[in-house]
Amino acid sequence: MVNPLLYDVMCGAGGCSVGYFRAGFEVVGIDNRPQKNYPYRFIQMDAFEFFDRVRDGEFEQPSAWAASPPCQQYTVLRSVHGKEYPDLLAATRTALELSGV
């Protein structure tokens, strides 16, 4: 039996990926930074580029997607550090909706 494929975009080190794997998915992590200890198959790529390339048929269509976009824009960190953080939530939601999964 083949496990259903799940792409975990913006996966970081893979904490959530472990849960998806334990739930029975074949997990592939995607992140724009190297993740040297990521426990499963890993593709270093911008998440939005990856969404586009899946839609274009360059990568297999998954059974499910998971996404963990950075959320510092909505935390106290924003005011503590006086730093601007990207707001990726809406763009990630749109990309997931367009995926058709």
Side-chain angles (χ1 to χ4, degrees):
M1 179 178 169
V2 176
N3 291 346
L5 176 62
L6 178 141
Y7 291 134
D8 186 5
V9 296
M10 303 175 208
C11 64
C16 291
S17 299
V18 172
Y20 304 135
F21 176 80
R22 289 180 180 167
F25 287 96
E26 174 192 348
V27 179
V28 178
I30 295 88
D31 204 289
N32 65 348
R33 291 177 292 181
Q35 302 295 329
K36 69 177 185 169
N37 296 316
Y38 189 78
Y40 309 109
R41 194 170 131 215
F42 177 78
I43 299 170
Q44 185 177 341
M45 183 182 299
D46 175 80
F48 299 105
E49 177 185 348
F50 188 76
F51 279 117
D52 290 342
R53 290 171 73 174
V54 170
R55 264 197 314 275
D56 291 342
E58 193 171 331
F59 291 94
E60 180 181 351
Q61 186 71 15
S63 299
W65 290 90
S68 301
C71 59
Q72 293 95 333
Q73 174 71 15
Y74 300 100
T75 69
V76 73
L77 284 176
R78 185 173 163 211
S79 58
V80 169
H81 295 280
K83 184 177 175 184
E84 288 297 317
Y85 293 94
D87 183 358
L88 299 175
L89 293 179
T92 302
R93 184 181 309 113
T94 298
L96 288 167
E97 289 170 350
L98 290 172
S99 77
V101 175

